Amino acid sequence: MKEIPVGHHTLPNGLRLVHSYDPCTAMVAVDVLYDVGTRDESRRLTGMAHLFEHLMFGGSVNVPAFDVVLEAAGGRSNAWTSPDFTNFYDTLPAQNLDTALYLESDRMLGLAFSERSLEVQRGVVVEEFKQQCLDRPYGDLFHHLRRIAYGEAHPYSWPTIGLVPEHIAQVGMADVKDWFYAHYAPNNAVISIVGNVGFDEACRAVERWFADVPWRDVKSRNLPDAGFPKADVVETVYGDVPMPLLVMAFPMDAYGTPGYFAADTVTDILSAGRAARLNLNLVNGSARGLICDADASIIGSEGPGLLLLVARLTSDSDADIDIARRLMLEEVRRLAVPGSLSARELERTLNNFEATFRFSNVGYLARATNLAMAEMHGEDINRIVADRRKLTPADIERTADLIFNRTPSATLIYRPSRG
């Protein structure tokens, strides 16, 4: 398989550039990934990372309206926040690359710190909290699940939207300035450029626009240990939901460890595709009529993460919920039995992983994001598939045994309100 062309360059101020030339498009994607997220928040002021994602579009030192300038150059932009990172990306015609770099460098240099922008974005994020968490079925699921899985001390114990909207409503300008200068710095970021722009041209452009952005002291992280349960925990919550939802969370290894990639493959075997075990053996097998859909996934984190088993149930009786939980555990624990995973089943799963990975890097925008993440992780993007293929059936069985048989879990049962 042809490798993705990748070039690397680091500026004296610490900003890392990763580049990939794509002559099949007239466009270019610029992705700026900052090493800051929910894990950098305190419990007294949650949702700050996500609020700041919005504030970065509210005007910078020399640019009152980011999107107005970008759209005039034929571009568009968006962003996302996770527990670990905050990401901004722009797409525009390749000949207008300088416009995107000018805009990104100006807001990396400094925001306008406008009271009006802060007021507007506080209101936007509070409304987003209401829509996503209060006005939608199961919207507060991860507020409950993360709390019982991590305890209350670790910043992974709340979702990126924050614990309560009141935290966002009380953010002041001093909080905004502290957050910016503690985390938004060239030495705390990666910029990825993918499209119809050569490597040398990209280097010159990044040097031109970012070289004068000063290196800054970045606030150090002192994360507490994850407060994972020492014994199985089961909690029931009630809400305006159509049917019961059963979620089991198992602690798993952090990103970059062999256990992480094995756990990711475990979930693929269990739920990726109609021939996956949960779908074949439960939804269309022994739990037919009780479990209407089932899924396995991971919450991939830079710190200790969670492997999730999720089942949507047709019955709200205590007995049926207990049966569904038992059937789910029995099914996933079969994967821990030595010799239970054939080389053919693992090969099929890894083929599916490779196909998904390859297709995700065809588009220039997705490739820019993937390259930025790989650079942040110190990975060679062209080694990811080969490294995943080193996993053996025995590796998967050992990981399944560790997670499902030897690790206490946190279970959340989300049931329709009574009365």
Side-chain angles (χ1 to χ4, degrees):
M1 191 75 181
K2 186 177 180 181
E3 289 194 344
I4 298 170
V6 181
H8 302 269
H9 179 65
T10 302
L11 275 63
N13 61 10
L15 179 64
R16 289 176 283 166
L17 164 66
V18 58
H19 167 272
S20 184
Y21 175 58
D22 186 349
C24 299
T25 178
M27 304 290 286
V28 66
V30 175
D31 190 291
V32 183
L33 181 65
Y34 290 91
D35 190 8
V36 57
T38 308
R39 59 178 166 162
D40 297 292
E41 297 173 353
S42 70
R43 192 173 179 81
R44 71 165 188 85
L45 200 62
T46 64
M48 189 68 186
H50 176 242
L51 172 64
F52 222 86
E53 172 201 320
H54 287 253
L55 289 173
M56 287 287 279
F57 291 94
S60 55
V61 175
N62 300 295
V63 183
F66 183 97
D67 281 329
V68 170
V69 178
L70 186 66
E71 289 169 7
R76 60 181 182 176
S77 65
N78 213 327
W80 51 260
T81 309
S82 78
D84 300 304
F85 302 111
T86 308
N87 189 64
F88 302 88
Y89 55 91
D90 318 304
T91 59
L92 72 171
Q95 65 264 31
N96 293 335
L97 171 65
D98 278 306
T99 299
L101 297 183
Y102 159 61
L103 292 170
E104 292 292 354
S105 65
D106 200 62
R107 63 179 175 181
M108 182 184 288
L109 176 66
L111 297 186
F113 298 116
S114 159
E115 289 284 359
R116 175 59 181 160
S117 175
L118 176 56
E119 179 185 0
V120 168
Q121 296 307 328
R122 275 195 309 242
V124 169
V125 174
V126 167
E127 287 305 311
E128 185 177 343
F129 188 104
K130 294 176 182 177
Q131 290 176 10
Q132 291 188 3
C133 303
L134 304 182
D135 299 333
R136 188 173 67 175
Y138 315 107
D140 59 351
L141 184 148
F142 281 100
H143 284 81
H144 298 292
L145 185 66
R146 284 183 173 274
R147 171 180 51 79
I148 63 175
Y150 284 101
E152 295 189 351
H154 199 282
Y156 284 171
S157 66
W158 55 84
T160 56
I161 195 73
L163 271 173
V164 291
E166 288 78 10
H167 282 185
I168 297 303
Q170 72 186 26
V171 172
M173 187 55 67
D175 301 310
V176 170
K177 290 182 178 180
D178 286 347
W179 187 268
F180 180 82
Y181 289 112
H183 304 291
Y184 279 76
N187 45 302
N188 204 40
V190 167
I191 183 168
S192 172
I193 297 177
V194 176
N196 202 336
V197 174
F199 177 64
D200 290 341
E201 180 184 353
C203 289
R204 288 193 296 270
V206 170
E207 288 276 3
R208 180 163 57 248
W209 292 110
F210 287 88
D212 291 338
V213 180
W215 183 97
R216 297 187 180 112
D217 288 325
V218 175
K219 186 177 180 180
S220 60
R221 287 192 183 101
N222 296 299
L223 295 178
D225 291 336
F228 291 136
K230 304 302 182 185
D232 289 346
V233 175
V234 180
E235 184 170 306
T236 300
V237 297
Y238 296 88
D240 187 12
V241 297
M243 57 181 62
L245 192 69
L246 173 66
V247 186
M248 289 175 277
F250 298 82
M252 58 169 281
D253 290 345
Y255 188 90
T257 62
Y260 176 98
F261 302 112
D264 190 24
T265 305
V266 164
T267 61
D268 287 347
I269 292 168
L270 291 174
S271 67
R274 286 183 293 180
R277 293 189 177 198
L278 292 180
N279 198 37
L280 194 66
N281 300 333
L282 288 184
V283 177
N284 295 303
S286 62
R288 189 180 183 90
L290 173 59
I291 297 178
C292 59
D293 64 67
D295 185 52
S297 62
I298 63 170
I299 298 180
S301 303
E302 300 302 293
L306 298 174
L307 186 152
L308 304 183
L309 302 177
V310 181
R312 200 179 304 270
L313 312 182
T314 60
S315 171
D316 189 36
S317 76
D318 294 344
D320 283 341
I321 291 173
D322 288 341
I323 290 171
R325 185 181 177 211
R326 174 177 58 80
L327 290 174
M328 287 283 285
L329 287 172
E330 287 177 355
E331 182 57 41
V332 299
R333 284 170 175 166
R334 289 190 183 98
L335 188 54
V337 177
S340 63
L341 177 63
S342 68
R344 184 175 182 274
E345 186 178 12
L346 178 58
E347 179 70 16
R348 184 183 67 212
T349 301
L350 294 176
N351 287 345
N352 183 63
F353 170 81
E354 179 172 0
T356 302
F357 176 82
R358 300 291 185 196
F359 279 116
S360 74
N361 284 293
V362 171
Y364 64 97
L365 175 56
R367 192 194 309 174
T369 302
N370 293 340
L371 277 173
M373 289 296 299
E375 181 70 18
M376 187 67 78
H377 287 139
E379 290 178 317
D380 179 353
I381 198 169
N382 289 303
R383 292 293 310 164
I384 289 175
V385 170
D387 289 343
R388 185 66 64 97
R389 286 193 175 278
K390 293 177 182 178
L391 290 169
T392 67
D395 294 329
I396 303 304
E397 291 161 359
R398 280 194 299 270
T399 300
D401 179 53
L402 175 63
I403 292 176
F404 299 132
N405 290 326
R406 305 175 190 279
T407 304
S409 63
T411 297
L412 182 71
I413 304 169
Y414 209 129
R415 305 177 70 168
S417 298
R418 296 176 173 177

